[in-house]
Amino acid sequence: MATLSSVNLVTPRPVVVANLPKFAKGGPVAVPILNRPWKRVYRLGSRGLRGTGPVRAAPDGISEKVEKSIKEAQEACSDDPASGECVAAWDEVEELSAAASHARDKKKDDDPLENYCKENPETDECRTYDN
Amino acid sequence: MAVSTVCTTQSLNSTCSISTPEKTHLGFHQNQVVFYRRTSKRGGGSCVITCSVGDSQTVVIGLAADSGCGKSTFMRRLTSVFGGAAEPPKGGNPDSNTLISDMTTVICLDDYHSLDRTGRKEKGVTALDPRANDFDLMYEQVKALKSGIAVDKPIYNHVTGLLDPPELIKPPKILVIEGLHPMFDERVRDLLDFSIYLDISNEVKFAWKIQRDMAERGHSLESIKASIESRKPDFDAYIDPQKQYADAVIEVLPTELIPDDNEGKVLRVRLIMKEGVRHFSPVYLFDEGSTISWIPCGRKLTCSYPGIKFHYGPDTYFGKEVSILEMDGQFDRLDELIYVESHLSKLSTKFYGEVTQQMLKHADFPGSNNGTGLFQTIVGLKIRDLYEQITSSKTAAPLEATKA
């Protein structure tokens, strides 16, 4: 484990810039977490080991629900776009889209070591040193 | 920081009772109850019980915005100003919408839906409609939390669309209620110590929803547009009118710096602050009450295209006196941010550069390089200032009572 993560240390910057999902809202991708470089290094290690790119779609259950709800809404609105059913159907689409987006964000931040350390900060893997 | 009020009760007989910390209707908060007993000199045999109520000064903040408008980001910034990250309650329902940190608890008002997804479909109403929400329960529970009583709040599961069994919410120091209708019901509105409304214009809303939803299969430009259009009548009728009651409105509009811009990346954000709100002093630029137009980019500061433009001035909003601070453009560098911060006044920061530090801490949040992040951070600091003023004024009053 230790040697693998140290191998990844060799090329920190280009890897970080390449793998970070670009936030379409136009924010600068710069400004890394300066005060905790060890945390950034860990993240590189986990990405290198797992080799996962940025996650795009929400977990399958929700994605399917979104798809289904869109189809239902389009059907409900084909007769009368101003009816209560049509409006309620599109509201459901909006709600599910919001849930899918939250699930996507949660999945992006899901790091097994971080989750473990939140519950058990005193274990050896989770000890931190502030010099 | 235990703030306590001391109350005394005297019984006519010589019975003395000692109150113990419990989650009862007496409203004691666990771990914070201190009690002591002393006998009174008056009336032979009567006993004086003193109790302290730890959290009778819960500050309640209301945040209103449509879905997909940045409420979650705002919540994360706000809880970060107070320190610590807010997380869902441990060991509870994983689909809970509540966030808890040391100082704050954030409650999502969707939990007060009276109709679940199937119920709304049958009746043909949206979640925006007041008929789908139980305002009586909302009022009772917010009132209880404000007075320091724990409540069992229902959970609305956004994934399944059903109402799950309730979870226990303990009264926090700061309670934030966020959702579609925090200021809709008059009784709830009176309980709020401060209220915020996020007003996103239609073009920006459309651009944000496209960014959010295009990654999902099944969604297309037409479906996103249809979804926004069909919700618009209910939104205009029930949600939008709440902005006249808000103490602060963050209005997000397309930029004026780039002609014919339709990408929606550069934003013009206006912070509309109501005058005369207790414990809230609006931020100003250079000279309070005058109208200022300011372009910081010039000799001392170089900005890249399209630059930054500020405007500040008094105005009226729905018939009330307000001050408006406006920012158009975006920050590219740290020194632009600190330069702007050093020229703003009444920010309620505790040290020079606090706003910049908070913005940098969350540089990955959406809006960190433009007015949305800046004004959300500033409102967060204002809320902290409001909280400190309220708690210090409440400790002053009971101390005088005990001297009597």
Side-chain angles (χ1 to χ4, degrees), chain A residues 23-28 31 56-58 60 62-67 70 72 74 84-85 87-88 90-102 104 106 118-119, chain B residues 67-68 72 87 90 94 117 120-121 124-128 156 158-160 208-209 211-213 215-219 223 226-227 230-231 234 265 330 360 363-364 366 369:
Chain A
F23 285 94
K25 291 188 177 132
V31 193
R56 294 301 291 185
D60 288 320
I62 305 184
S63 278
E64 280 160 11
K65 281 194 180 159
V66 172
E67 234 184 316
I70 295 174
E72 281 172 20
Q74 282 164 341
E85 292 88 35
V87 174
W90 280 120
D91 188 43
E92 190 185 327
V93 169
E94 169 60 38
E95 198 190 330
L96 284 167
S97 305
S101 139
H102 286 311
R104 236 179 293 143
K106 235 164 105 176
K118 242 184 271 185
E119 311 289 318
Chain B
S67 145
S72 317
E87 305 194 338
K90 290 192 170 58
R117 208 177 283 161
R120 274 178 273 143
K121 230 180 183 159
V125 298
T126 60
L128 305 161
Y156 177 76
H158 281 103
V159 177
T160 59
W208 284 3
K209 292 211 168 154
Q211 282 163 6
R212 187 190 73 180
D213 292 335
E216 285 301 322
R217 317 186 287 263
H219 256 305
S223 66
S227 168
S230 76
R231 288 171 94 241
D234 270 359
K265 296 230 173 95
Q330 53 189 31
L360 285 179
D364 55 334
N369 65 337

Side-chain angles (χ1 to χ4, degrees), chain B residues 265-313:
Chain B
K265 296 230 173 95
V266 182
L267 298 169
R268 176 174 158 226
V269 189
R270 304 172 82 217
L271 176 60
I272 300 168
M273 299 166 280
K274 209 184 258 188
E275 290 287 346
V277 177
R278 261 189 101 201
H279 306 302
F280 173 61
S281 46
V283 181
Y284 67 88
L285 190 57
F286 177 57
D287 180 23
E288 199 169 8
S290 42
T291 305
I292 314 272
S293 216
W294 180 47
I295 299 177
C297 316
R299 291 205 194 107
K300 280 198 226 165
L301 187 71
T302 28
C303 317
S304 45
Y305 183 77
I308 308 172
K309 202 166 174 186
F310 272 88
H311 182 91
Y312 165 75

